[in-house]
Amino acid sequence: MQYNPGWNSSSVNLLHVWAAGPRDSLHYVWSSIGAPAVLLVATQSPSSALRVNWTQLLSPSPAGAIWIDPPDSVVYSTAVVFTKLFEFSEAKPSGELFYPTYDLAEFSWDSLNHTLNHTALTAELSGVPANDPGGGFSNGSLAFRVTAYEAGGRDGRLPSLLHTADSSQLEFLLAGVAPRGNSSRFVLEVATVEEAGAVRRLRSQRSIDDEYTPTIFEVLSLVAESQNGSSTLGFLQWKATAYGSRHPRREDGIQCRAQGLQVANWTLPVSSIVQAYFGDSLGSTCTISALNVSFGGEEGEVYQEKRYLSWSVLLGFGEPPRDTFSPLVISITAVALGTPLAMLLLGSCLVLLAQRRRYSEYEPIN
């Protein structure tokens, strides 16, 4: 993990997470320059490197300021941008009442160098609106907590997402922010950027197994696929829940919904790392899609009471991880289904044996 590589100032945030394999390497570039965003690049060279022209990056025209060296080693690149936070309440009988939008490109962000942990491979980007006339953030903040992994496994905290060494986890945190209405609900706008030849699709997978995330039976994946559908290039994956506690438990669950994936008809915030990497193709050959993730529902009072919200999402390359039944669940299921079947077979054998013994003492009547 590198913080602002080649730049000595902490006035801006750029975190480079690099993973090298024997024949390839992966790059995650997180930044709060413009709107909070992450750039994901997969290369076929184990020694590929991130290059940043800082003077150009911090100028009004950042196109071309970020690139991977050697350029021909790049096999896939994409970006995810967290653009806006909406807040609304369901005012009856007039319907939904929306409050002024929080534009994340206009936030003031703390230096994540203070939270960078090279041992745990974590960092946290925290910010507040540069202009907050309503005072909702006077005692609160919005944050993105990044976790990288060196091996596969499962996160120890709910929702216990399954991860691989090719993925990173992001936690969206809203702490201490005063809601502007009764039973306010929040919506996070997430935008994705795909180059020509790739398209984003939203998948929903349901399972009867809630062993690792109690009462949650749905996993959502926003996958990038080649246009012919032959392969999956990258993904965002999350479970259909958020939590209202720093130490989440099942009863702290907050309903989480994805409100449809649409092609965005607007441009991304200026001076972002996305423009710095994709350059002029961002407005021509690249496809920008947007998805709204809402938090709350009938149980929306959870945030009202505790004023804390956490939502975890996994980002990575290739196919998203798939949960399978653990050996414990398989054993319990086998015992639950196998015991009655074994008893039925044993009972049938005993009945047949008893019938044969009953009539074997008599001679047949001619």
Side-chain angles (χ1 to χ4, degrees), residues 355-364:
Q355 288 180 343
R356 293 187 62 182
R357 285 182 175 178
R358 180 185 308 169
Y359 296 106
S360 62
E361 298 176 357
Y362 298 92
E363 293 292 334

Side-chain angles (χ1 to χ4, degrees), residues 299-313:
E299 73 285 11
E301 295 77 13
V302 174
Y303 180 82
Q304 198 82 12
E305 295 173 0
K306 300 184 179 181
R307 296 198 177 182
Y308 189 87
L309 171 69
S310 70
W311 173 61
S312 299
V313 57

Side-chain angles (χ1 to χ4, degrees), residues 12 29 32 45 75 105 115 119 135-136 171 238 252 271-272 297:
V12 294
V29 185
S32 61
S45 169
V75 293
T115 63
T119 302
E171 288 180 81
W238 66 95
D252 299 319
S271 303
S272 69

Side-chain angles (χ1 to χ4, degrees), residues 52-306:
V52 182
N53 183 330
W54 283 96
T55 303
Q56 187 176 355
L57 178 62
L58 301 178
S59 71
S61 302
I66 295 178
W67 70 98
I68 298 295
D69 193 23
D72 59 359
S73 67
V74 176
V75 293
Y76 173 65
S77 56
T78 184
V80 181
V81 188
F82 303 92
T83 52
K84 296 177 182 178
L85 180 69
F86 302 99
E87 180 184 353
F88 71 95
S89 62
E90 294 183 343
K92 298 179 180 180
S94 59
E96 297 177 346
L97 172 64
F98 278 84
Y99 299 96
T101 303
Y102 293 115
D103 190 341
L104 301 189
E106 299 176 357
F107 270 46
S108 175
W109 301 95
D110 297 335
S111 172
L112 61 76
N113 192 35
H114 304 307
T115 63
L116 187 58
N117 187 325
H118 290 276
T119 302
L121 300 179
T122 59
E124 185 171 315
L125 183 66
S126 178
V128 296
N131 184 20
D132 186 21
F137 279 79
S138 57
N139 295 314
S141 66
L142 181 152
F144 295 94
R145 182 182 297 152
V146 179
T147 304
Y149 300 106
E150 292 181 315
R154 187 180 298 277
D155 193 68
R157 289 159 40 93
L158 289 175
S160 304
L161 293 177
L162 181 67
H163 63 259
T164 67
D166 296 342
S167 60
S168 294
Q169 180 172 286
L170 179 73
E171 288 180 81
F172 167 68
L173 306 172
L174 202 62
V177 177
R180 290 173 284 185
N182 295 328
S183 301
S184 279
R185 295 165 61 180
F186 292 96
V187 178
L188 179 65
E189 184 180 72
V190 183
T192 63
V193 179
E194 293 295 334
E195 292 182 306
V199 62
R200 286 277 177 176
R201 290 188 174 88
L202 183 63
R203 297 177 183 171
S204 175
Q205 179 185 0
R206 295 183 178 272
S207 170
I208 62 172
D209 183 18
D210 68 338
E211 176 185 5
Y212 300 106
T213 311
T215 73
I216 305 301
F217 301 94
E218 184 180 14
V219 178
L220 294 134
S221 300
L222 184 59
V223 298
E225 299 176 342
S226 55
Q227 286 188 335
N228 58 13
S230 61
S231 62
T232 300
L233 306 172
F235 66 88
L236 280 77
Q237 184 184 65
W238 66 95
K239 294 193 176 183
T241 185
Y243 291 95
S245 172
R246 296 181 186 274
H247 307 285
R249 299 169 298 173
R250 180 184 61 81
E251 54 267 30
D252 299 319
I254 298 175
Q255 191 175 64
C256 171
R257 293 176 177 172
Q259 298 179 345
L261 180 67
Q262 298 181 348
V263 176
N265 56 1
W266 40 261
T267 57
L268 292 173
V270 297
S271 303
S272 69
I273 61 169
V274 178
Q275 287 183 323
Y277 180 82
F278 290 100
D280 296 334
S281 64
L282 193 60
S284 56
T285 58
C286 289
T287 301
I288 303 175
S289 304
L291 174 78
N292 285 343
V293 181
S294 65
F295 310 101
E298 297 79 3
E299 73 285 11
E301 295 77 13
V302 174
Y303 180 82
Q304 198 82 12
E305 295 173 0
K306 300 184 179 181

